Amino acid sequence: MDYMHWSIKQDENNICWLLFDYKDSATNILSTQALEELKDILEQINEAETQALIFKSMKSTGFIAGANINEFVGIDYQAALSLITLGHSVMNKIEAMKCTTISMIHGFCMGGGTELSLACDYIICSDDSATRLSLPEVKLGIHPGFGGSYRCIRRIGPLAAFDMMLTGRSINAKLAKKLKLVDEITAQRQLERAAIAFAAKKPVSRQQSIKNRLLNNTLIRGFLAKKITAKVAKKAAKKHYPAPYKLISLWLKYYDFPRKMLEKEAISVAELVADPSAQNLVRVYFLQEQLKSLGDKKLFKPLHIHVIGGGIMGGDIAAWCAYKGFQVSVQDQDPAILAKTIERAYQLFSKKLRDKRLISNTMDRLTADHKGYGVEHADIIIEAIFEDASVKQSLYQSIEPRMKKNAILATNTSSIPLETLASCLKKPGRLVGLHFFNPVALMPLVEIIHGEQSDKKTIKNIAAFSRHIDKLPLAVKSSPGFLVNRILMPYLLEAILMYAEGIPAEAIDKAALDFGMPMGPIELADTVGLDVCLSVANILAESYHKQVPEQLEHMVKTGYLGKKNNKGFYSYQNGKAQKDSTSSYRNMTDVQQRLILMLVNEATACLRDKIVDNEDLLDAGVIFGTGFAPFRGGPIKYIHDSGKHDLQVQMDGFKEQLGERFTQDNGWELV
Ligand code: NAI
């Protein structure tokens, strides 16, 4: 019988090769259709007297990417349960096969792909750097749902399994072997031979190590579950991200009853996936894919990057580009700053790469270039000097004659209109904004700012470059504050106003954290630097007729600059804000609403001003540029989910109570 996505090859050793080649797709996915076909195939193979069954991918990129996430969109509990039950029945069939079953992995193996492998007797994989195994479901607000939660814990023990399942991180072949997740790793060219050798073995009944048996023991399990839960609670609140808590509870309650645990796993994932939190995280996944598609790597790959300004941003941008494989020179007018830049880069590489040889190779790609010789060789020059239009312009005038004919000039300005900066250039089309966020290594977004004068090809090329350095590009119209800072600023200023009213900084930050923000606005302002906040606020206030709180001006005037000089709204010791854990405030709901309404109101204003092309891109920008509570799906999605009318009524209430700044923007009409 012919199948759409699978084919069967029986070889002379009586081994059945099950070849997965998902139709019309670059990657293999376990869609309902692929699972149904597989179920049918497994029944046939079980009838025949086959020696072994080997799963093999026909895609060059990887093994299996997991379930079909498209099927999760808008799914209800019943539909989710039947999809998951189908997955379970397939994995149970694989596990119960009479013959030896082997999963043969090269390239990525994610989610359902790892769960399918866990149901096999043996897992072998190539030692290639592209080979990575993961169970990343938690990132989508769910947990493994094709039997993987039980089977992963059984195979590698609870500590390693929870580390994989709760972080969603992928592991390489070497680590997978060390954890006994895979039975063998080998060079890719020997992979089939290794699979055939395993095919001659009998199915195994795996014995858990004494340590893992102990850790899974009822008594210790209770204690360990508490510890793991406490660790999770530091990162993700239960009411916002229920999945990790449900996963731990499954293990705690049912690990001694495997069938029951599998049944309960299916119910748990069906409940989770239909929940708004997971639905929004699925949305965020697709938004991320959308941003990725905005930069086409094939279009352009520069060879040499020259960064001017080795300060907070320039230094980190230079290091990041070198880490991502580019030849980089970094220039600063102050050699002492350059020395610090190189030292910070070394710290980044050491943390990320760990391997001495890799660290030294990466250091070799980064050159301190006080005199700026790199200008003449660079395909892209990234400027990250002081935020001052005339300083930037005089730099541009001095470097333009030395730049390569087609080199791009990218500025990291956070507020100056591109048109102003470009006016001094002979070729204004070559200037584009490439706005990174702080800290560069952690923030996934870059805003690609295009002015009236920007050349279309330059914009496309810089978006391609963003993908080469693994950032998510978002095309944003040149206007004060661009997208992210413009939306963030009213929220920060409202926080400062509340502080000036006497509401404790700790309470204001807590209200934002409770909403799901990664950091409170007061601590964020301190981290960005109060002088930087003030200068951006002044520019935005002038353009959008807003008021800058006197409190902020006063603090900057009196030398309160935030974390960088250890005194801001908080005082800092060893880089840590000293918070008063006893401080509280009675009306936390109002605090939270004031903050969030200011933010979403400005988001609607950006829609009205067409700063980005549509609602989805706006939500994507705010999530990936500020860390806006991902489980809420972005500010515009938040308006839809909370009810536009209800939020408008709240705005009106605050307007009456607190003043004109709560006036609804006309952009609400577009939502
Ligand atoms: P910074 O003050 O830490 O670094 C600026 C560096 O540029 C200094 O080391 C200075 O010596 C050097 N410099 C100034 N003029 C120069 C010249 N003519 N030639 C060579 N070097 C020169 O500033 P930071 O924070 O890194 O900001 C740089 C740019 O990035 C600004 O345009 C800022 O608006 C933007 N930005 C800043 C963010 C932040 O969080 N700090 C976030 C996003 C953008």
Side-chain angles (χ1 to χ4, degrees), residues 495-510:
I496 296 172
L497 283 174
M498 285 195 265
Y499 178 87
E501 284 168 27
I503 302 175
E506 289 83 354
I508 301 167
D509 279 349
K510 183 170 184 310

Side-chain angles (χ1 to χ4, degrees), residues 234-261:
K234 282 194 190 144
K235 299 229 154 130
K238 191 173 179 177
K239 65 176 177 192
H240 299 152
Y241 299 97
Y245 296 89
K246 281 191 152 222
L247 178 63
I248 298 166
S249 149
L250 273 179
W251 172 61
L252 179 64
K253 289 191 193 149
Y254 304 112
Y255 186 76
D256 296 328
F257 313 99
R259 287 282 140 222
K260 191 95 190 148
M261 180 159 165

Side-chain angles (χ1 to χ4, degrees), residues 307-317 331-335 337-338 341 344 370 383-388 391-392 394-396 398 411-416 434-440 485 527-529 532 535-536 564:
V307 180
I308 311 184
I312 301 180
M313 293 305 287
D316 285 3
I317 294 167
Q331 171 186 353
D332 200 287
Q333 59 189 11
D334 183 349
I337 289 200
L338 272 187
T341 308
R344 261 197 354 261
H370 172 51
E383 170 274 304
I385 65 167
F386 299 138
E387 186 71 348
D388 179 317
V391 174
K392 287 191 195 281
S394 76
L395 173 77
Y396 295 176
S398 72
T411 171
N412 188 44
T413 177
S414 32
S415 54
I416 308 171
L434 182 62
H435 186 217
F436 287 84
F437 294 87
N438 188 3
V440 174
N485 283 347
T527 307
V528 171
V532 177
S535 100
V536 179
K564 62 177 132 186

Side-chain angles (χ1 to χ4, degrees), residues 55-273:
F55 285 94
K56 179 183 169 186
S57 160
M58 300 306 283
K59 306 286 188 200
S60 59
T61 47
F63 184 62
I64 299 175
N68 181 4
I69 300 172
N70 279 308
E71 291 183 48
F72 296 171
V73 178
I75 199 167
D76 64 18
Y77 171 77
Q78 273 313 329
L81 189 61
S82 61
L83 168 66
I84 294 158
T85 309
L86 170 65
H88 268 260
S89 73
V90 171
M91 303 309 159
N92 292 345
K93 266 194 197 328
I94 296 175
E95 192 171 54
M97 291 294 280
K98 285 183 272 181
C99 66
T100 304
T101 48
I102 297 147
S103 167
M104 192 183 96
I105 302 168
H106 168 67
F108 59 76
C109 171
M110 301 195 271
T114 305
E115 294 184 90
L116 180 146
S117 305
L118 284 165
C120 292
D121 295 309
Y122 300 104
I123 308 177
I124 60 167
C125 67
S126 76
D127 59 6
D128 198 280
S129 62
T131 295
R132 299 197 74 90
L133 290 88
S134 65
L135 287 166
E137 290 83 351
V138 75
K139 295 183 180 170
L140 295 177
I142 56 175
H143 57 68
F146 290 166
S149 14
Y150 173 72
R151 291 191 181 103
C152 188
I153 296 172
R154 185 186 61 184
R155 197 170 177 117
I156 63 175
L159 296 182
F162 276 113
D163 185 51
M164 272 185 86
M165 294 190 289
L166 294 177
T167 62
R169 76 187 170 110
S170 65
I171 57 174
N172 63 22
K174 211 166 138 194
L175 180 57
K177 175 81 180 10
K178 194 170 155 209
L179 298 175
K180 296 198 166 64
L181 176 62
V182 306
D183 298 283
E184 189 71 275
I185 57 174
T186 168
Q188 191 200 344
R189 64 193 145 76
Q190 284 160 354
L191 199 53
E192 291 205 358
R193 209 175 313 147
I196 292 167
F198 271 89
K201 298 185 186 222
K202 293 240 165 318
V204 274
S205 131
R206 278 169 204 276
Q207 291 299 317
Q208 291 193 27
S209 68
I210 297 177
K211 177 182 151 202
N212 285 337
R213 249 183 291 161
L214 270 175
L215 293 174
N216 278 321
N217 173 283
T218 325
L219 285 175
I220 296 181
R221 206 156 75 221
F223 168 76
L224 199 56
K226 260 198 200 140
K227 283 201 81 138
I228 300 174
T229 307
K231 210 168 150 192
V232 169
K234 282 194 190 144
K235 299 229 154 130
K238 191 173 179 177
K239 65 176 177 192
H240 299 152
Y241 299 97
Y245 296 89
K246 281 191 152 222
L247 178 63
I248 298 166
S249 149
L250 273 179
W251 172 61
L252 179 64
K253 289 191 193 149
Y254 304 112
Y255 186 76
D256 296 328
F257 313 99
R259 287 282 140 222
K260 191 95 190 148
M261 180 159 165
L262 290 173
E263 254 171 51
K264 294 285 182 187
E265 179 202 77
I267 293 170
S268 169
V269 175
E271 284 169 355
L272 285 168
V273 76

